[in-house]
Amino acid sequence: PGQDRCKLSVADYGALLKNVEMDLMRLVEGDYLKPSIVQKQIRSLRKHSCLFSKEFTDQLHCNVHGCFGDGFTRKLKEVEQMLVTDLQEAHRLWSLASTAWKDCKDGKPTDLASA
């Protein structure tokens, strides 16, 4: 909403997620990276214009935003919020978000409620 048009492929977006994952790992391992930096990266990906682009989301095989806590973006938000209080839990939640993305991308049905 109100952002630039999506100029990324699904693979490009996946690569951005991988970069955040590497920074999150650095954080968990005690690197001097600030949690707020990773939070901003996640927020940027969660609100990325591509996730609001029909052309982009039509390539995915899931409800990106979901409902009742089941969407990919909701999983990202959980990680974003947990970063300030519990890095280990944020890492666990990231793994759920990462699995949700892989399933969206690969077309596998995901029962995120049981994750």
Side-chain angles (χ1 to χ4, degrees), residues 77-97:
K77 186 168 187 166
E78 290 173 7
V79 178
E80 186 183 321
Q81 292 171 332
M82 188 56 65
L83 274 170
V84 289
T85 56
D86 187 341
L87 286 178
Q88 293 301 324
E89 180 63 6
H91 184 255
R92 186 188 75 76
L93 291 171
W94 177 266
S95 133
L96 296 178

Side-chain angles (χ1 to χ4, degrees), residues 10-109:
V10 170
D12 292 338
Y13 187 88
L16 293 174
L17 284 171
K18 197 68 174 162
N19 290 341
V20 172
E21 182 174 355
M22 291 187 321
D23 283 348
L24 179 58
M25 285 303 301
R26 288 175 48 208
L27 248 180
V28 170
E29 292 168 358
D31 199 338
Y32 292 104
L33 194 61
K34 292 182 180 176
S36 62
I37 291 171
V38 179
Q39 264 186 316
K40 286 177 187 168
Q41 291 173 322
I42 293 171
R43 184 177 303 116
S44 172
L45 287 175
R46 181 170 60 82
K47 295 182 176 236
H48 199 283
S49 61
C50 287
L51 297 181
F52 296 92
S53 158
K54 181 168 174 27
E55 295 80 17
F56 185 85
T57 58
D58 281 352
Q59 297 174 60
L60 301 174
H61 308 278
C62 66
N63 182 343
V64 172
H65 303 288
C67 51
F68 307 112
D70 284 351
F72 169 66
T73 57
R74 291 172 188 261
K75 296 289 178 204
L76 287 179
K77 186 168 187 166
E78 290 173 7
V79 178
E80 186 183 321
Q81 292 171 332
M82 188 56 65
L83 274 170
V84 289
T85 56
D86 187 341
L87 286 178
Q88 293 301 324
E89 180 63 6
H91 184 255
R92 186 188 75 76
L93 291 171
W94 177 266
S95 133
L96 296 178
S98 189
T99 298
W101 170 254
K102 183 179 182 319
D103 291 346
C104 283
K105 184 175 58 82
D106 297 342
K108 295 179 184 170

